[in-house]
Amino acid sequence: MARHSKPTTASLFWPVTREVQKADFEFDANGGVLCAVNFKSRVSSKKFPEDSADDKLLIMSMVLYCSDHAAPCKNSLLYFKWMAVEMEEYYQQGDLERKLNFSVSPFFDRATCNPFKFQLGYIDVIAMPLYETWSEFKPAFRE
């Protein structure tokens, strides 16, 4: 009688790594917003996902995009800690731009930027539409 063995963690490492790298490249090459627009279009087609490599890659790319924008979904204490670190990173870039006599990027000027207004815009424009689309695809994520 032939024995069938389960794949080991080691035997799955490189195939899984290659797929994650493809998803990451797809995400970086097309930009997260384009990835999200394509995903929303595919979800609304009601024929999604099909058992294709393209659909699997799109789903993996969206998982990466969602994880990049997950901070507003965390409890308030964690979110505000993340927000402070994120805004400081932006302010440091703005400080460097000013020092090099470049025009300071919008929202990166610590003297004029209101971080709470910035975050509200980020949630309204990026995070909410992203997670609404994701929860349309996976209703279990609505809560």
Side-chain angles (χ1 to χ4, degrees):
M1 177 186 274
R3 292 185 68 190
H4 298 284
S5 63
K6 292 182 180 178
T8 64
T9 302
S11 69
L12 290 175
F13 178 79
W14 288 113
V16 169
T17 299
R18 278 191 292 278
E19 291 304 311
V20 170
Q21 287 171 337
K22 279 189 218 173
D24 188 40
F25 177 77
E26 178 76 14
F27 171 76
D28 287 341
N30 290 326
V33 174
L34 292 177
C35 180
V37 168
N38 187 20
F39 186 78
K40 185 172 183 67
S41 172
R42 293 288 291 131
V43 167
S44 65
S45 76
K46 305 298 180 200
K47 295 179 184 176
F48 183 77
E50 295 175 10
D51 192 19
S52 71
D54 287 344
D55 282 357
K56 291 175 185 176
L57 184 60
L58 182 57
I59 292 168
M60 286 193 299
S61 296
M62 278 303 293
V63 168
L64 287 172
Y65 191 55
C66 286
S67 69
D68 278 352
H69 297 284
C73 303
K74 299 179 189 303
N75 71 50
S76 297
L77 183 63
L78 286 175
Y79 174 64
F80 285 116
K81 283 182 178 181
W82 170 84
M83 184 183 93
V85 171
E86 178 192 44
M87 294 308 298
E88 181 57 30
E89 178 184 334
Y90 295 161
Y91 294 154
Q92 287 179 13
Q93 179 178 328
D95 295 344
L96 182 59
E97 290 170 345
R98 179 174 285 106
K99 183 179 177 181
L100 297 172
N101 291 320
F102 294 154
S103 59
V104 178
S105 298
F107 308 110
F108 288 24
D109 188 342
R110 65 177 77 237
T112 61
C113 179
N114 179 331
F116 298 101
K117 282 186 178 179
F118 174 81
Q119 291 298 316
L120 280 174
Y122 165 72
I123 290 169
D124 287 345
V125 174
I126 303 289
M128 282 296 290
L130 173 65
Y131 281 97
E132 285 171 351
T133 301
W134 184 256
S135 65
E136 185 180 335
F137 172 60
K138 286 290 183 192
F141 285 95
R142 286 197 176 121
E143 293 193 28

